[in-house]
Amino acid sequence: MSQETYELKAEARERVGKGSARELRRNGLIPAVIYGDKQAPIAIALNTNEVTKRIHAGGFMTTVATIEIDGKKHKVLPKDYQLDPVRDFTLHVDFLRVSGNTQVTVEIPVHFINEEKSPGLKVGGVLNIVRHEVEVHCPADAIPEFFNIDLSGKKIGDSIHISEVTLPKGVTPVIDRDFTIATIIAPAAGIDESAAEGEAEA
């Protein structure tokens, strides 16, 4: 499962548009919108520091949050956000309303484990990561935090495909084929067999 949920307090925005958005940002707030679940969109304003802290903490796009507006709580999942390209602060966030049966499409990060148990990497091979994230369909209340890819026994020339990853129940890849996540390739300089043997003995 993804990170624990968190709560943000927001205020409804009466005015929308560039002028009001600039005014909000001057006051330390971010314009945002909540949409989906067959309800009318709600324009809101959030505390800039709170949201930026959540973005930099990681897992922002895969963690369901609760936004409270005038005492009413909305369960949401961030779907998009914009950062200022120069000053790296948040300009705008889009949130999707979710409920227990909501299916969402999210990108889940990939973690590689047991690198020391890979013969290919031991002799100087290089882990060539094709996908750092895998896009999946899954229930909004059961978003995986990451996928572990086990490199045990992997040799130079081996590929790791999505079919080798154990996906939780209800989680399916968006791409409908057995795509490659990573490969182990020979180093550009070639393999130093004697050094590899020395390492193995050590």
Side-chain angles (χ1 to χ4, degrees), residues 98-153:
V98 297
S99 56
N101 56 4
T102 305
Q103 287 284 318
V104 294
T105 303
V106 288
E107 292 190 337
I108 306 300
V110 170
H111 291 181
F112 294 91
I113 60 171
N114 293 325
E115 293 188 22
E116 72 285 355
K117 294 181 182 175
S118 160
L121 295 179
K122 273 187 177 174
V123 298
V126 177
L127 180 63
N128 174 44
I129 301 171
V130 180
R131 295 177 188 274
H132 290 271
E133 295 174 323
V134 173
E135 193 173 25
V136 298
H137 300 301
C138 64
D141 58 357
I143 300 171
E145 190 172 351
F146 53 82
F147 295 135
N148 272 335
I149 310 293
D150 192 347
L151 298 175
S152 299

